Amino acid sequence: MTAHTIPPSSTSSSPSDREAAARERILTAALQEFAEHGWGGARVDRIAERADINKRMLYAYVGNKQALWVAVLERVYERMRQGEHLLHLEAASPVDGMRMLIRFNFRFHQDHPEFLSMLNEENRQKAENLKNSRNVTEIYNPLIVAIKDLLDRGRQCGDFRGNVSPIQLYISIASLSYFYFSNRHTLSTIFNTDLGSVMATIEREDHVVEVVMGYLRP
């Protein structure tokens, strides 16, 4: 009996698939390394070891330390935008859509402390690394379009005031969440209360929603 062979394409991944998988491992490892050690303390050697890949291939797939940092930031931004896309804001009423967006943003900051750490570091460096990104503006453009659509529809039906900048509104939404999670340890000490508790976090989320929605009321 002649043995039947299976074409290589059905038993093994293509070079592009393998490269994508390797890049994913590298970015996951880099995120862990940067979150734990910051920009200054992170080491490419450790990232390569975490990703189980040699440094030569790491440089080939992503690049040097700065390229790794920028790629990780872009990856987190992209995941944030993907989550917002799944909200299907275009199908929601303006009020419901805005509330969903605010809550998603709040919870993303809560669930990704590594993102907060990287933002703190990148702002300390005055975004010198992020300026090398070719994608970050394109990543954010769909969000601003979605917010503008909510604002326009809300104004037309009388739910929202007019003359609201979607960029300024987003900065306010992000700030109200970012500040809380990046400063809750000091604030907990100042006010002698655990702002990291479940109840305190829920109270804060509801407060952020009502602050933003209150501003938008006509």
Side-chain angles (χ1 to χ4, degrees), residues 155 160-164 215-216 218:
R155 177 180 54 78
F160 295 158
R161 57 183 288 183
N163 299 318
V164 177
Y215 165 74
L216 289 175

Side-chain angles (χ1 to χ4, degrees), residues 12-191:
S12 59
S13 58
S14 68
S16 60
D17 289 339
R18 290 194 295 274
E19 179 176 344
R23 180 179 171 83
E24 181 67 17
R25 294 202 315 274
I26 291 168
L27 294 183
T28 298
L31 178 58
Q32 295 169 345
E33 178 72 11
F34 287 131
E36 291 177 13
H37 302 285
W39 165 259
R43 296 291 178 265
V44 175
D45 286 341
R46 287 199 296 261
I47 294 173
E49 184 178 353
R50 286 174 183 261
D52 191 25
I53 196 169
N54 64 61
K55 284 177 64 176
R56 181 179 65 83
M57 297 307 296
L58 180 149
Y59 286 127
Y61 287 145
V62 182
N64 60 16
K65 183 178 177 180
Q66 184 184 64
L68 284 165
W69 177 271
V70 172
V72 168
L73 271 178
E74 289 179 344
R75 182 194 194 211
V76 179
Y77 283 135
E78 286 170 353
R79 289 188 170 179
M80 196 173 188
R81 300 291 81 80
Q82 289 168 0
E84 289 160 348
H85 178 71
L86 292 175
L87 297 175
H88 298 292
L89 299 177
E90 73 285 353
S93 72
V95 170
D96 289 344
M98 193 63 72
R99 286 181 176 273
M100 286 192 294
L101 179 62
I102 298 166
R103 290 191 185 279
F104 172 84
N105 192 278
F106 184 90
R107 293 170 187 178
F108 191 92
H109 284 84
Q110 177 185 11
D111 295 338
H112 295 83
E114 72 284 355
F115 182 45
L116 300 180
S117 298
M118 293 189 72
L119 283 179
N120 289 338
E121 178 63 26
E122 189 62 16
N123 277 291
R124 189 187 69 79
Q125 297 189 42
K126 299 180 180 179
E128 286 301 321
N129 297 305
L130 195 60
K131 289 174 184 177
N132 292 295
S133 171
R134 298 179 180 178
N135 303 315
V136 68
T137 299
E138 293 181 2
I139 292 171
Y140 266 85
N141 281 340
L143 172 64
I144 300 304
V145 171
I147 293 175
K148 185 177 184 304
D149 175 67
L150 288 174
L151 290 172
D152 288 345
R153 289 193 288 120
R155 177 180 54 78
Q156 290 168 7
C157 68
D159 288 329
F160 295 158
R161 57 183 288 183
N163 299 318
V164 177
S165 163
I167 293 177
Q168 291 296 336
L169 181 64
Y170 176 74
I171 292 173
S172 294
I173 292 171
S175 300
L176 288 167
S177 303
Y178 170 81
F179 182 86
Y180 182 78
F181 290 109
S182 61
N183 292 275
R184 63 180 175 180
H185 298 296
T186 51
L187 292 172
S188 292
T189 300
I190 291 170
F191 296 116

